[in-house]
Every structure is written in C-alpha cells, then in structure tokens.
Amino acid sequence: MNRIKDILKEKGITINELAEKMGLNRVTLSSQINGTANIVSYEKIASALNVPMWQLFVSPEEVQFPSNTHSVKCPHCQHEFPISVNVELKIK
C-alpha cells in the first residue's frame, strides 16, 4: 500500500496534474498508483511530488515533523535529529 493519493491531497495536486507533469496519461499513472508501479516508477512519482521515495510508503504517524520542521523524530527510537533542506528547481 502506498500513500501517493494522500500526498497528492496534502499538496493540493490532482492526479491529472501529476500525470501531465510526468508526461504520462492519467490512466497509466492511476494504474501505477494502484499497484503496478515498479521501483523506477516510484522514484519518478516521488521526484515529481518533490518528496523522498520512502514517504510514499509510510503512514503520517511514522514520521513526525515538529512544527519548526528543522528536525525529524525517528518513528522507531524517538530520537530527534536535525535536517537540512536544499531545494533545486528542475525545469524539463
């Protein structure tokens, strides 16, 4: 099971918009989202959504982002560690 539909909703993106961004038709992307995707497809979806691929498969409860979003708490050991985010815009 993946969280792609949830991430689309969180980001306010429709499946049609994501398909267009990826250069796919909606039916192909919908089929991938519903279980036919392979690792390469998941990497492309994650990239298009601007999220790490692992976020496609974890529940929101497993990753807790503090309100300051400068650190992340491990869902297993509860250890909090700092993060750094670099944003790069890629135009295709």
Side-chain angles (χ1 to χ4, degrees):
M1 185 73 172
N2 65 58
R3 293 191 58 244
I4 297 170
K5 291 177 184 176
D6 294 335
I7 294 169
L8 286 170
K9 187 175 180 179
E10 290 167 10
K11 291 184 170 278
I13 300 171
T14 67
I15 193 167
N16 290 334
E17 292 169 331
L18 181 60
E20 185 177 316
K21 183 175 184 177
M22 295 179 65
L24 299 172
N25 68 48
R26 187 189 115 8
V27 173
T28 299
L29 180 59
S30 182
S31 178
Q32 290 179 353
I33 289 172
N34 290 314
T36 65
N38 58 30
I39 191 75
V40 173
S41 297
Y42 283 126
E43 287 173 343
K44 290 178 181 178
I45 291 168
S47 178
L49 289 171
N50 197 28
V51 298
M53 190 171 66
W54 60 265
Q55 280 191 9
L56 301 180
F57 302 100
V58 297
S59 69
E61 296 80 29
E62 290 179 294
V63 178
Q64 300 173 14
F65 291 99
S67 60
N68 65 7
T69 64
H70 290 84
S71 62
V72 175
K73 186 182 287 188
C74 173
H76 302 288
C77 68
Q78 301 304 312
H79 177 75
E80 198 165 308
F81 55 94
I83 60 170
S84 167
V85 178
N86 296 318
V87 178
E88 181 182 332
L89 178 62
K90 293 183 179 180
I91 299 174
K92 294 182 180 183

